Amino acid sequence: MQTLTPHLHSKTPARQGFVLYRPMGGRNAQLLTLSAPKICSGTELSSVLADQGECFILAPFNPVSPVLSFPIEERTGGEPEALSDLLRERCKELSATFTDNALKARCESANARVFPAYSAAFGRFKAALTAGDFEKLVLARPLFLTLTRPLWESFAALCERYPGAFCYLACLPDTGIFMGASPERLATCDGVTLETMSLAGTMPGSAQQNYTWSQKNLREQRLVTAYIETSK
C-alpha cells in the first residue's frame, strides 16, 4: 500500500480541492489533488479539456448553468480505510463537532420550512400523473441531518457497505462537499462508441443477487430506456 501522508501534506493546501473515489467493484480508492477550476459553458467544455488535459468536471443538471473544470495535479491510490485515516490529519476543517444542539436545532427548523413546499408539490405531481400529462415524474426534497461521525469515516463505511457501487467524496472550495454511492455507470466510451445505463426503479439489496422485477420497475426501466434512445 502506498503511503499518502507526504502527498497530502505537501500537495494539498488548506483551500485546495480534492476528490476521493472508489471504482465499482474495486478495492483501492483514488485520491485526486485538484488545481483551481476554470469556469466554462457546456459548449466550451471540449476545447477546455483539450487545453487542460485530464480534469475533474462538476456539471450541474441545468444545461445553461456554468461548468467547473478542475485540472488534476496528482493522482494517488490506496485502500479506502488508509486514505480515510490520513484525511483526518489533512481535513481539520471537516472535523468539527457535528452533533451539537445548536446544529440539531437548525436542521429541525430547516426541515420544518421545506416540508410544506414538498407537500404542495406532491399534490401537483399526483394530479399531473393521474391526468396522464406525464408518464414518470421524480420528486425530491432536501433533508437536513447532523453527522454522527467525520466525513472520511463515513466514506470508508460507504465503501464497505456498498462494495459494488461507485463511492466518492469530493471537497471543492467555494463550491461544496459531496459524498455518495451509485450503482449506475454514467458512460463508457472507446473513442467511437458510447455505452450508458438506463437504471430506474429500486428494490432491497440481495446477497445472492436474486431479484424479481415488479411490473412497476420494469415499466420505469422502459421509460428511461426510451428517453435515452430518443435523445441521441
Side-chain angles (χ1 to χ4, degrees), residues 125-136:
F125 270 46
K126 183 179 178 180
L129 289 170
T130 302
D133 297 334
F134 300 93
E135 290 188 279
K136 178 181 174 69

Side-chain angles (χ1 to χ4, degrees), residues 175-191:
T175 301
I177 301 170
F178 307 86
M179 183 168 62
S182 173
E184 186 173 8
R185 188 184 302 278
L186 177 61
T188 301
C189 184
D190 62 5

Side-chain angles (χ1 to χ4, degrees), residues 77-91:
E79 294 185 357
E81 296 82 358
L83 295 181
S84 297
D85 289 341
L86 292 168
L87 283 175
R88 180 181 292 109
E89 292 298 320
R90 153 69 184 89
C91 302

Side-chain angles (χ1 to χ4, degrees), residues 212-231:
T212 300
W213 285 71
S214 67
Q215 288 302 311
K216 170 184 175 295
N217 281 340
L218 288 172
R219 182 170 179 272
E220 290 188 9
Q221 187 82 18
R222 287 193 293 268
L223 288 171
V224 176
T225 300
Y227 177 80
I228 293 173
E229 290 176 343
T230 57
S231 300

Side-chain angles (χ1 to χ4, degrees), residues 9-117:
H9 286 287
S10 63
K11 302 295 292 185
T12 313
R15 293 292 294 166
Q16 191 167 20
F18 69 85
V19 175
L20 180 60
Y21 71 91
R22 200 278 317 275
M24 291 178 172
R27 177 173 177 80
N28 285 343
Q30 294 287 321
L31 176 68
L32 309 180
T33 305
L34 307 177
S35 299
K38 179 178 179 61
I39 302 175
C40 62
S41 66
T43 57
E44 299 170 327
L45 186 57
S46 58
S47 60
V48 170
L49 292 176
D51 294 337
Q52 292 184 332
E54 189 178 27
C55 298
F56 174 81
I57 304 298
L58 183 64
F61 285 112
N62 188 341
V64 301
S65 296
V67 176
L68 297 180
S69 171
F70 295 81
I72 298 174
E73 284 194 3
E74 192 166 343
R75 177 195 295 269
T76 313
E79 294 185 357
E81 296 82 358
L83 295 181
S84 297
D85 289 341
L86 292 168
L87 283 175
R88 180 181 292 109
E89 292 298 320
R90 153 69 184 89
C91 302
K92 295 186 183 298
E93 68 272 21
L94 303 182
S95 60
T97 300
F98 296 107
T99 56
D100 62 87
N101 291 331
L103 188 54
K104 286 183 178 179
R106 288 173 55 189
C107 289
E108 292 173 358
S109 176
N111 287 326
R113 291 195 303 271
V114 166
F115 187 78

